């Protein structure tokens, strides 16, 4: 039972990372109808930003103050990925609305360019980021069951971001405009909503959340130029299962993929577990092709 509970916690931890990556993708996909294959590279951007911030703090501050890189890395990972997403949206993505196949090919090309840029700057070998000392310990529940502080901290970040996105979408004027554009772009524009600004801002926020996911990933494993490709498929499955544009759907999809995949791997092995979770997704989409919590949006209607 203790081993099972530990695996369940690991699944929830994976779900929290998927949720961070999928929140932004769910909103931008529901808003713009663009299949962004470069979303994983925003995760990579956030991870490498945390790596650079750590190195700068190591070079500039005494060893006892190294832990202060953590809040700086979290903020800068979000901002760096958000700025990159904003620039890409203004230069490239804005020309791909309504062109699903073209968006798939172009963003895949962008992902390859960003991966090669990372190899040129940081090299091909994986690099590591040392977690702050206060995250190195574990919360011991029983003799065998202990919860690493690193994964608990990632879970807290995911919950904070989830609450933030909810407040943005449902408690602010900007969020109301986003939901209006998702439901009926032409009507929103006729009522004075600047749809271009909404697109750019939303894409930047979604990219920033992916950067946060990348920062979180640095504390549980090595990072490299292909980091994003390891998570992009699961992130898209999270969005598709939950429903594009739905916050509740993103939470459900992240739990379904993260906890379900971990449970299958625990009961079988890594390869068969992956096959089984894909099979469950296929079966689910046969009955709910728009996702469990699908909402009316331009992307789904088209």
């Amino acid at each position: 039972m203790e081993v099972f509970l530990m695996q369940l916690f690991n699944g929830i931890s994976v779900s929290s990372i998927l949720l961070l990556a999928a929140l932004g993708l769910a909103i931008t996909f529901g808003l713009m109808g663009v299949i962004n294959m470069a979303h994983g590279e925003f995760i990579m951007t956030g991870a490498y930003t945390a790596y650079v911030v750590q190195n700068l703090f190591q070079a500039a501050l005494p060893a006892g103050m190294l832990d202060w890189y953590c809040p700086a890395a979290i903020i800068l990972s979000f901002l760096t990925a958000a700025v990159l997403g904003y620039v890409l949206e203004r230069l490239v993505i804005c020309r791909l609305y309504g062109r699903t196949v073209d968006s798939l090919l172009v963003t895949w090309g962008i992902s390859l360019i960003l991966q090669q840029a990372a190899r040129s700057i940081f090299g091909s070998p994986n690099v590591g980021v040392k977690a702050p000392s206060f995250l190195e310990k574990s919360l011991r529940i029983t003799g065998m069951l202990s919860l690493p502080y690193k994964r608990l901290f990632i879970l807290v970040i995911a919950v904070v971001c989830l609450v933030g996105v909810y407040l943005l979408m449902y408690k602010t004027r900007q969020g109301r405009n986003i939901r209006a554009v998702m439901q009926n772009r032409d009507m929103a524009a006729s009522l004075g909503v600047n749809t271009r600004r909404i697109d750019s801002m939303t894409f930047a926020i979604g990219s920033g959340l992916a950067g946060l996911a990348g920062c979180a990933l640095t504390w549980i494993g090595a990072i490299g130029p292909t980091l994003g490709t390891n998570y992009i498929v699961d992130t898209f499955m999270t969005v598709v299962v939950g429903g594009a544009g739905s916050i509740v759907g993103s939470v459900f999809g992240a739990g379904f993929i993260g906890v379900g995949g971990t449970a299958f791997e625990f009961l079988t092995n890594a390869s068969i577990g992956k096959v089984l979770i894909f099979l469950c997704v296929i079966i689910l989409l046969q009955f709910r092709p728009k996702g469990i919590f699908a909402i009316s949006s331009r992307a789904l209607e088209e």
Side-chain angles (χ1 to χ4, degrees), residues 64-131:
M65 299 184 64
L66 181 59
D67 288 350
W68 286 101
Y69 92 88
C70 180
I74 292 173
I75 296 172
L76 291 176
S77 293
F78 178 87
L79 293 178
T80 303
V83 170
L84 177 61
Y86 180 84
V87 171
L88 284 178
E89 196 281 334
R90 297 292 291 181
L91 295 179
V92 180
I93 305 297
C94 65
R95 309 175 192 278
L96 301 174
Y97 299 150
R99 298 162 56 188
T100 305
V101 177
D102 291 343
S103 69
L104 177 66
L105 294 174
V106 172
T107 55
W108 180 59
I110 292 174
S111 74
L112 296 179
I113 293 173
L114 292 177
Q115 287 180 33
Q116 189 57 46
R119 288 190 184 93
S120 300
I121 297 172
F122 300 102
S124 297
N126 290 344
V127 297
V129 175
K130 181 177 174 57

Side-chain angles (χ1 to χ4, degrees), residues 51 99 215:
Y51 173 71
R99 298 162 56 188
C215 180

Side-chain angles (χ1 to χ4, degrees), residues 34 50 70 81 132 136-137 163 175 221 231 248 262 279 292:
V34 173
C70 180
E136 293 291 352
K137 300 179 181 179
V163 173
Y231 288 89
V248 177
T262 302
L279 183 61
I292 298 297

